[in-house]
Amino acid sequence: FVAESPRQLERLVEGMRSEVTDHLPRLLEQYTTSDNKPKVSYFEGERGVKQVYEDLLATCKKGDIFYRYESPRNYKAMRKYIPEEYKVRFRDKMEVERLIITNENTQKQKLNRLGRLIKVVPSRYDLFAYDISQLIYGNKVAFIDFRSETATVIESAVFAEFQKKIFKLLFDKL
């Protein structure tokens, strides 16, 4: 065996450069038209779930509203995912209004606070205890499964607006 000349690397790089140049127009077209397509992110583990709450904090500005369906079996166990900044900005300083649909058990554990409106799914319809939350904020919809510690965020203005409309309809009916 004999090593190839280092000049061979130049020829390989030039070949790759040519190939990239040939495909670049198509790639750029796909990239620029992808603004209309939803962006989906998936997270795992405790850190992944916390990332969703950190994204909520980064996205929501003072005066915004966010919507949350929460269906915990054990509300206190869910709190470990929520960053301290969430409690300060959203609860204590009331920078963001929160509309929440939850189950009767969780509602009983929450204190009445300004900046948070809670409606309850009556237990005669369902216990609504799935350990899943859905957050609707900005142009994003996040689904968190606390049992498997997984989360999916869909970034799409159309999806978010659609989910807000459904949330508001149900919120007004409860």
Side-chain angles (χ1 to χ4, degrees):
F1 293 99
V2 177
E4 286 283 337
S5 165
R7 294 278 179 217
Q8 179 65 18
L9 290 173
E10 282 182 321
R11 287 188 287 276
L12 287 171
V13 169
E14 281 305 313
M16 286 189 278
R17 184 184 321 272
S18 174
E19 200 171 323
V20 168
T21 303
D22 290 346
H23 293 290
L24 196 57
R26 183 178 51 82
L27 293 171
L28 285 170
E29 182 182 327
Q30 286 179 339
Y31 178 77
T32 56
T33 60
S34 69
D35 290 343
N36 296 330
K37 296 177 185 173
K39 177 183 171 192
V40 179
S41 302
Y42 177 76
F43 304 93
E44 289 185 331
E46 183 175 336
R47 181 75 198 117
V49 172
K50 285 181 178 181
Q51 259 184 282
V52 174
Y53 284 103
E54 289 166 4
D55 184 55
L56 175 72
L57 286 163
T59 302
C60 291
K61 306 299 179 225
K62 189 172 186 170
D64 283 352
I65 300 173
F66 90 87
Y67 309 86
R68 180 173 74 215
Y69 295 97
E70 61 180 15
S71 64
R73 292 185 178 152
N74 180 354
Y75 173 69
K76 291 180 181 173
M78 281 178 35
R79 295 187 340 205
K80 74 178 184 176
Y81 301 101
I82 300 174
E84 197 60 37
E85 184 184 351
Y86 175 98
K87 297 169 190 168
V88 172
R89 285 186 53 214
F90 293 2
R91 184 189 68 195
D92 301 339
K93 291 183 179 179
M94 297 180 289
E95 290 182 7
V96 175
E97 185 176 353
R98 299 166 287 156
L99 301 180
I100 301 167
I101 296 174
T102 190
N103 57 40
E104 289 178 349
N105 187 41
T106 299
Q107 192 270 337
K108 289 176 188 173
Q109 296 176 45
K110 292 180 177 279
L111 300 172
N112 289 331
R113 294 184 188 275
L114 293 174
R116 175 176 68 189
L117 298 172
I118 299 175
K119 297 283 182 109
V120 174
V121 174
S123 59
R124 69 180 180 273
Y125 292 108
D126 190 310
L127 292 176
F128 201 58
Y130 300 101
D131 282 340
I132 293 176
S133 283
Q134 178 182 345
L135 309 172
I136 308 161
Y137 58 101
N139 64 347
K140 300 173 185 176
V141 180
F143 300 92
I144 303 171
D145 180 348
F146 294 101
R147 288 171 298 154
S148 64
E149 287 190 321
T150 58
T152 304
V153 178
I154 302 171
E155 187 173 347
S156 164
V158 173
F159 276 49
E161 192 58 34
F162 181 73
Q163 288 298 313
K164 287 175 191 174
K165 298 278 186 203
I166 293 171
F167 183 98
K168 290 175 185 177
L169 178 67
L170 179 58
F171 195 83
D172 290 343
K173 297 292 179 190
L174 290 175

